[in-house]
């Protein structure tokens, strides 16, 4: 997640202050601890990104509304709101300016799980479509489009 600090905002003597919003955060309602990536120095590009640990319930931090998604409904997806959220120096994750590397390493490790999740979703969608095709076969005379769908589903199952 990237937040940009408000113009002129400086590091506090005891830590940092985060302001901004981030949408589409998976498992936001269930999480108790968040890794937040904020740009402390926009002129430094990706080298200005720093990682912080922010606990749920921290002053100035709130989990916003839950998105109404079409799929993957078992996990909440919410907005995170930072309104003057003060983060103590000890909640810095890694060194200032090293947040980009932390983000990339985290994403790389999570990709295998996302691939498995998408494979499961694809199998579920295929199973649903095949079931609908079986129901259509038993209730009506097969049409040309019905046969084409059957061929398409068979080709998908073969791969």
């Amino acid at each position: 997640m990237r937040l940009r600090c408000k113009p002129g905002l400086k590091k506090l003597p005891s830590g940092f202050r985060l302001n901004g919003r981030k949408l589409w955060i998976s498992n936001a309602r269930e999480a108790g601890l968040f890794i937040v990536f904020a740009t402390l120095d926009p002129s430094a590009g990706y080298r200005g990104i720093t990682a912080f640990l922010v606990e749920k319930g921290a002053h100035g931090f709130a989990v916003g509304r839950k998105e109404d998604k079409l799929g993957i409904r078992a996990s909440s997806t919410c907005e995170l709101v930072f309104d003057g959220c003060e983060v103590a120096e000890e909640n810095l994750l890694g060194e200032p300016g090293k947040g980009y590397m932390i983000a990339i390493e985290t994403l790389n490790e999570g990709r295998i799980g996302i691939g498995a999740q998408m494979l499961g979703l694809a199998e579920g969608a295929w199973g649903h479509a095949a079931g609908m095709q079986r129901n259509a076969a038993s209730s009506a005379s097969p049409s040309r489009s019905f046969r084409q769908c059957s061929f398409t589903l068979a080709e998908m199952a073969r791969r």
Side-chain angles (χ1 to χ4, degrees):
M1 172 171 91
R2 282 183 75 187
L3 296 172
R4 293 201 183 274
C5 294
K6 289 183 177 177
L9 183 65
K10 295 181 181 171
K11 182 183 174 305
L12 303 173
S14 61
F16 302 86
R17 182 176 295 136
L18 300 176
N19 288 288
R21 294 172 176 263
K22 180 65 175 98
L23 297 173
W24 296 96
I25 302 301
S26 299
N27 299 314
R29 283 219 176 133
E30 294 79 23
L33 184 66
F34 297 82
I35 300 175
V36 178
F37 297 94
T39 302
L40 294 177
D41 182 5
S43 67
Y46 73 89
R47 289 185 179 99
I49 300 171
T50 301
F52 301 91
L53 296 173
V54 178
E55 293 182 52
K56 184 180 266 183
H59 180 72
F61 170 64
V63 175
R65 71 176 181 89
K66 183 179 179 203
E67 295 293 334
D68 185 23
K69 303 180 292 186
L70 293 175
I72 314 176
R73 295 169 80 70
S75 77
S76 67
T77 299
C78 304
E79 174 184 31
L80 300 183
V81 181
F82 299 86
D83 186 15
C85 178
E86 292 190 14
V87 181
E89 185 89 34
E90 59 263 17
N91 282 22
L92 201 64
L93 182 61
E95 298 173 35
K98 301 292 185 184
Y100 180 79
M101 291 305 298
I102 294 168
I104 293 301
E105 289 170 9
T106 303
L107 287 171
N108 285 339
E109 291 181 12
R111 288 187 174 149
I112 188 74
I114 292 168
Q117 185 180 43
M118 294 304 107
L119 178 60
L121 283 170
E123 287 178 345
W126 184 89
H128 184 70
M132 290 180 69
Q133 189 73 356
R134 279 191 293 277
N135 288 343
S138 65
S139 65
S141 61
S143 66
R144 184 176 182 175
S145 64
F146 170 84
R147 284 191 297 277
Q148 183 57 46
C149 277
S150 294
F151 292 135
T152 301
L153 286 169
E155 182 65 20
M156 290 168 66
R158 185 181 72 80
R159 292 177 185 235

